[in-house]
């Protein structure tokens, strides 16, 4: 397959970490077809600098599985390529903290913990954001590049002195040793979103990618047998309304690509986006949701051609070739022609995430309709969640997504909350003024299995 040969020529990335984290990174990496991974697993963080030096001359970028091996590589190794690491954010901290609370006991009791790696500022901010007042933390104040033995000794001392009843650590080997010492603990594991962020940063730092990430991509969309379809309508008014509804759905999809759409007349549309966004939304050239959405709503299928190129002219020419290939395949499909004229496809006419952009869940549609959530609003929210994986928003963010006023958004949120589509997830404290509520799109979290 052309797609396989393209992957074989990808940007080489060295991945260094423990077996579990390297495995998780490789899973997320499947959505980044530009990368060609070279993974190396270690048992101890002390091995990371030597392994990084070995890989440094054979890859374009290096990714450490966390801040601990990253700091050791940066301090002890001589590498000439860009070095990145998977960050630990509040989400990973929350998960570890809640797991620890479930282990220790009631969430209402005070919990004193010893912490390493995460900064005091980040932890206090995270606890404040969720109004967590029952957790007290003691922070490791030793050297920045502490060894495993130093971290274990720190946690053991805090536990045995009675200062803490449990530990949170960012180092997997430290967590294993603390468990062996019968010290309650949790390992702060990065989320898939943390890994995605790290891979995006790594991708953007490579010389190869810097020229490809912002590369213009041209898409051509053709409505299969559209002339036959419109004959079932009895008036020109109905035909124009159908075209307008289709145009709106196409606009919603292209908006999810941060792209620009223009009709070419009749049954064909042209749109522009960038290569990096298109790769991420399609899950690495695997699935495209638009075809299924159009079919479910209008009973129409699409032929789609995507073109990459070193210029807009070349990308447009390749998009036309790809569209012709889609039509020759019988329609209802999408092909890509790359800058090297390699053919990729067909892409599955399905959703980039399990819950997708396609409005096919009749139960959800009925519930949304009863709550005053139009299909347009539902499509925009699904597109946003499909792109970002984020389901928690403040009201001004939702207003921007829906392209309506904050006041109107407040009114809609009250209706949606009454119908259990949305819930309040927490509050964000601000220096002056009332805390701002954070709203969770619970109906999308449930469909995504989050």
């Amino acid at each position: 397959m052309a797609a396989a040969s393209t992957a074989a020529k990808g940007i080489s990335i060295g991945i260094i970490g423990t077996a579990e984290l390297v495995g998780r990174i490789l899973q997320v990496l499947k959505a980044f077809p530009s990368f060609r991974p070279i993974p190396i697993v270690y048992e101890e963080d002390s091995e990371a600098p030597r392994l990084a030096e070995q890989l440094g001359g054979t890859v374009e970028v290096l990714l450490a599985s966390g801040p601990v091996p990253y700091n050791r590589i940066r301090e002890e190794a001589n590498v000439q390529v860009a070095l990145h690491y998977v960050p630990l954010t509040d989400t990973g901290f929350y998960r570890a903290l809640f797991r620890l609370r479930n282990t220790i006991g009631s969430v209402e009791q005070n919990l004193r913990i010893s912490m390493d790696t995460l900064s005091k500022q980040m932890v206090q901010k995270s606890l404040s954001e969720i109004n967590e007042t029952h957790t007290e933390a003691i922070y490791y104040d030793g050297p920045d590049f502490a060894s495993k033995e130093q971290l274990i000794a720190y946690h053991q001392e805090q536990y045995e002195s009675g200062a803490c009843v449990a530990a949170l650590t960012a180092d997997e080997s430290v967590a294993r040793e603390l468990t062996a010492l019968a010290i309650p603990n949790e390992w702060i594991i990065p989320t898939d979103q943390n890994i995605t962020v790290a891979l995006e940063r790594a991708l953007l730092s490579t010389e190869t990618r810097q020229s490809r990430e912002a590369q213009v991509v041209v898409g051509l969309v053709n409505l299969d047998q559209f002339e036959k379809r419109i004959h079932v309508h009895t008036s020109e008014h109905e035909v124009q309304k159908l075209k307008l509804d289709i145009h709106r759905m196409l606009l919603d999809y292209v908006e999810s690509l941060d792209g620009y759409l223009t009709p070419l007349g009749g049954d064909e549309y042209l749109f522009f986006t960038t290569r990096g966004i298109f790769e991420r939304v399609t899950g690495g050239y695997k699935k495209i949701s638009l075809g299924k959405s159009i079919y479910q709503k209008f009973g129409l299928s699409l032929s789609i051609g995507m073109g990459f190129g070193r210029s807009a002219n070349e990308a447009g020419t390749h998009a036309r070739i790809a569209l012709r290939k889609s039509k020759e395949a019988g329609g209802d499909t999408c092909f890509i022609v790359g800058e090297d004229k390699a053919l990729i496809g067909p892409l599955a006419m399905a959703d980039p995430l399990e819950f997708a952009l396609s409005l096919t869940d009749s139960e959800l549609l009925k519930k949304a309709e009863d709550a005053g959530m139009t299909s347009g609003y539902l499509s925009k929210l699904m597109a946003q969640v499909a792109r970002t994986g984020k389901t928690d928003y403040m009201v001004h963010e939702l207003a921007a997504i829906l392209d309506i006023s904050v006041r109107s958004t407040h009114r809609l949120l009250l209706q949606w909350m009454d119908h259990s589509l949305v819930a309040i997830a927490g509050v964000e404290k601000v220096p002056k003024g009332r805390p701002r509520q954070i709203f969770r799109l619970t109906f999308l979290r449930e469909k995504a299995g989050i």
Side-chain angles (χ1 to χ4, degrees):
M1 281 282 295
S5 63
T6 301
K9 300 174 184 176
I11 302 167
S12 56
I13 177 171
I15 301 171
I16 301 174
T18 60
E20 180 171 344
L21 285 181
V22 168
R24 292 188 62 182
I25 292 171
L26 290 175
Q27 284 296 316
V28 177
L29 199 85
K30 291 178 180 179
F32 291 78
S34 297
F35 271 137
R36 177 169 55 86
I38 303 177
I40 291 187
V41 172
Y42 60 68
E43 292 291 332
E44 301 290 342
D45 293 327
S46 58
E47 302 174 56
R50 174 180 58 83
L51 297 174
E53 288 186 345
Q54 288 179 5
L55 275 178
T58 61
V59 297
E60 194 168 337
V61 63
L62 282 169
L63 179 65
S65 61
V68 175
Y70 168 80
N71 287 332
R72 297 203 66 148
I73 293 170
R74 193 177 61 172
E75 182 74 6
E76 303 172 23
N78 179 24
V79 293
Q80 304 301 316
V81 298
L83 173 65
H84 297 267
Y85 69 95
V86 178
L88 294 173
T89 61
D90 51 3
T91 306
F93 168 69
Y94 293 147
R95 293 200 311 185
L97 179 62
F98 293 148
R99 287 197 305 266
L100 193 59
R101 277 205 167 278
N102 288 334
T103 301
I104 297 298
S106 170
V107 296
E108 296 299 325
Q109 73 178 57
N110 288 331
L111 178 66
R112 300 187 308 279
I113 56 174
S114 54
M115 294 279 311
D116 66 49
T117 307
L118 296 186
S119 69
K120 180 178 181 180
Q121 180 181 8
M122 174 192 163
V123 172
Q124 288 184 336
K125 181 175 181 293
S126 299
L127 292 174
S128 175
E129 286 180 346
I130 60 173
N131 293 323
E132 172 54 62
T133 59
H134 298 288
T135 298
E136 301 174 21
I138 297 176
Y139 305 90
Y140 179 68
D141 60 358
D144 291 337
F145 308 108
S147 67
K148 178 184 75 172
E149 289 72 24
Q150 287 173 309
L151 294 178
I152 293 169
Y154 153 71
H155 287 295
Q156 187 173 13
E157 179 184 353
Q158 299 301 323
Y159 180 74
E160 292 180 349
S161 68
C164 295
V165 297
L168 285 180
T169 178
D171 191 300
E172 182 183 3
S173 61
V174 170
R176 287 199 304 265
E177 291 294 331
L178 291 177
T179 299
L181 292 168
I183 297 174
N185 72 90
E186 281 291 339
W187 172 33
I188 305 172
I189 305 173
T191 65
D192 286 354
Q193 183 63 26
N194 296 153
I195 296 171
T196 297
V197 168
L199 288 170
E200 288 177 341
R201 289 174 180 169
L203 192 58
L204 288 170
S205 72
T206 64
E207 291 183 12
T208 302
R209 190 56 187 186
Q210 285 171 5
S211 63
R212 294 178 65 187
E213 178 74 11
Q215 186 182 68
V216 172
V217 171
V218 176
L220 284 170
V221 179
N222 185 266
L223 301 169
D224 296 331
Q225 300 181 330
F226 183 65
E227 290 301 321
K228 292 183 179 179
R229 176 68 175 82
I230 62 176
H231 287 324
V232 302
H233 295 279
T234 58
S235 69
E236 180 62 20
H237 175 77
E238 289 184 353
V239 172
Q240 293 303 319
K241 187 176 182 299
L242 173 64
K243 289 181 177 180
L244 183 60
D245 289 341
I246 292 171
H247 191 195
R248 284 173 176 162
M249 182 168 282
L250 291 172
L251 275 173
D252 285 342
Y253 180 74
V254 174
E255 184 181 12
S256 76
L257 296 170
D258 281 347
Y260 175 81
L261 174 77
T262 185
L264 296 181
D267 55 3
E268 195 163 281
Y269 295 81
L270 169 73
F271 69 88
F272 300 89
T273 183
T274 59
R275 185 164 183 164
I277 293 174
F278 183 70
E279 284 184 355
R280 288 188 285 278
V281 172
T282 59
Y285 315 146
K286 293 182 181 70
K287 301 174 182 177
I288 188 164
S289 67
L290 182 59
K292 188 174 180 180
S293 301
I294 292 287
Y295 182 80
Q296 292 291 338
K297 188 157 183 100
F298 305 109
L300 290 167
S301 64
L302 300 179
S303 294
I304 304 174
M306 303 298 303
F308 302 162
R310 285 169 280 270
S311 67
N313 179 52
E314 185 179 64
T317 300
H318 290 167
R320 182 63 64 183
I321 295 170
L323 178 61
R324 187 165 61 246
K325 177 64 179 177
S326 294
K327 289 183 175 180
E328 290 171 355
D332 193 25
T333 191
C334 174
F335 279 91
I336 301 169
V337 173
E339 64 267 35
D340 57 356
K341 293 184 171 57
L343 185 68
I344 303 172
L347 276 68
M349 292 299 218
D351 306 309
L353 295 181
E354 283 183 24
F355 59 96
L357 300 177
S358 59
L359 309 181
T360 60
D361 188 327
S362 58
E363 184 179 343
L364 173 58
L365 284 171
K366 179 65 168 61
K367 194 173 182 180
E369 184 180 347
D370 292 343
M373 183 184 291
T374 66
S375 61
Y377 291 158
L378 182 56
S379 177
K380 287 180 179 181
L381 293 173
M382 283 183 162
Q384 179 71 14
V385 174
R387 286 187 58 219
T388 65
K390 175 184 172 184
T391 56
D392 291 358
Y393 298 92
M394 285 179 287
V395 65
H396 68 275
E397 295 175 315
L398 289 170
I401 294 167
L402 300 175
D403 195 23
I404 57 177
S405 69
V406 170
R407 184 174 180 178
S408 296
T409 306
H410 267 300
R411 177 178 56 79
L412 288 172
L413 284 169
L414 290 175
Q415 293 177 221
W416 299 347
M417 288 169 64
D418 287 343
H419 287 77
S420 302
L421 293 174
V422 173
I424 296 175
V427 295
E428 180 187 56
K429 293 183 179 179
V430 293
K432 296 181 180 179
R434 297 171 58 188
R436 295 185 292 191
Q437 291 177 318
I438 300 171
F439 296 93
R440 175 165 296 162
L441 308 178
T442 51
F443 68 105
L444 293 184
R445 287 178 67 90
E446 291 166 2
K447 290 183 71 60
I450 297 174

